[in-house]
Amino acid sequence: MTTAELYDRYGKPYEVRVSRVDGKAPEPHAPPYAIYPMTPSLPAHKAFDPEIVISDYGASFVASQTPSPTLYTPALYAPPEGFFADPITPAADIWTLGVNLYEVLGKRSLFDIWARDKYDIIAEMVNTLGVLPARWWDSWANDGESFEPNGERLSDFRRTGTPPFRRLHQRLWDMGRGETPETCQWNIAGGELQALENFLRGMIAFEPIDRLTAEQLMASEYMIKWALPAWERQMRRKEGLKIR
């Protein structure tokens, strides 16, 4: 798509000058102007070469220089250690990436909550992944109100907007890509769905030390057998090559 075709389809960029409070020129520390993000309203299947890019989690830091930084990640995507005042490490990004990945693939949030308060989010973590580590479980203000000691939701629990009891495995089936082996878009027989579940579990383990590193994720079965080949096909398609 040429620049002219892009502008014809979505309109020209809307520029806004960047100014400093002290009146000095913003450059070289900032661009001279900013551009409002494009918000096209069209079905995904009509988008031209759509690509999903995760660009920012709201803050960044050098791990070696900031032992336990303050997180500004939206609560729905924040790791559990952020709720319990545990040290923040690079593993926090792995959790956030995993939650985002589920949302991208499933077209819905991993944690199905009505009100985004701390209690509801932690409850949905338990609802999805099971019992919290003991040091968190004992300090959490659950007090047997909504969960059994084994992490299963009490059958008679009632609260506004209470989501159904669903573990991660069921949430993968609920992504809307077919709810039986015959209709599912994942390759069930070939192990794609199980590989994806293992991949996500490696990212959203409660204990930061148990989460996979970026290197381990790239070397995982799901990446090697499913994700990377799909990405390579997409790149080749963009280059105009015919593949089967």
Side-chain angles (χ1 to χ4, degrees), residues 63-74:
S64 61
Q65 300 176 11
T66 314
S68 186
T70 300
L71 290 181
Y72 298 96
T73 308

Side-chain angles (χ1 to χ4, degrees), residues 30 33 47 50 140:
Y33 59 86
W140 182 40

Side-chain angles (χ1 to χ4, degrees), residues 71-239:
L71 290 181
Y72 298 96
T73 308
L76 194 60
Y77 306 96
E81 58 266 30
F83 292 102
F84 293 98
D86 268 26
I88 301 300
T89 68
D93 277 350
I94 299 297
W95 172 283
T96 301
L97 180 60
V99 175
N100 274 277
L101 177 61
Y102 178 93
E103 187 166 326
V104 168
L105 295 175
K107 305 176 184 178
R108 60 189 296 175
S109 298
L110 174 60
F111 302 125
D112 185 15
I113 56 176
W114 179 73
R116 297 190 177 188
D117 62 50
K118 176 180 177 180
Y119 181 95
D120 284 339
I121 294 174
I122 295 174
E124 263 294 84
M125 289 180 181
V126 175
N127 206 7
T128 305
L129 301 171
V131 180
L132 296 164
R135 67 184 184 284
W136 295 343
W137 185 261
D138 294 340
S139 66
W140 182 40
N142 174 43
D143 297 329
E145 175 188 346
S146 53
F147 289 95
E148 299 282 4
N150 64 357
E152 293 188 6
R153 189 178 288 280
L154 294 172
S155 59
D156 60 348
F157 176 71
R158 295 291 182 272
R159 187 179 181 185
T160 302
T162 301
F165 179 78
R166 295 184 303 140
R167 292 297 195 213
L168 178 61
H169 182 76
Q170 182 60 45
R171 290 169 195 252
L172 290 173
W173 281 106
D174 293 342
M175 279 183 170
R177 295 172 179 261
E179 297 184 2
T180 67
E182 293 74 27
T183 62
C184 187
Q185 294 179 15
W186 308 111
N187 186 335
I188 305 300
E192 182 181 10
L193 186 63
Q194 185 60 57
L196 174 60
E197 181 175 344
N198 295 341
F199 187 74
L200 285 172
R201 287 190 183 280
M203 302 176 79
I204 55 175
F206 279 135
E207 292 285 9
I209 196 173
D210 292 336
R211 293 173 206 154
L212 299 179
T213 64
E215 292 78 9
Q216 290 171 324
L217 290 169
M218 291 301 297
S220 68
E221 178 188 12
Y222 180 71
M223 288 297 295
I224 297 297
K225 192 173 180 179
W226 306 103
L228 289 176
W231 177 78
E232 290 169 356
R233 289 194 297 271
Q234 170 73 355
M235 293 300 101
R236 293 172 62 185
R237 186 188 67 79
K238 290 183 65 175
E239 294 171 1

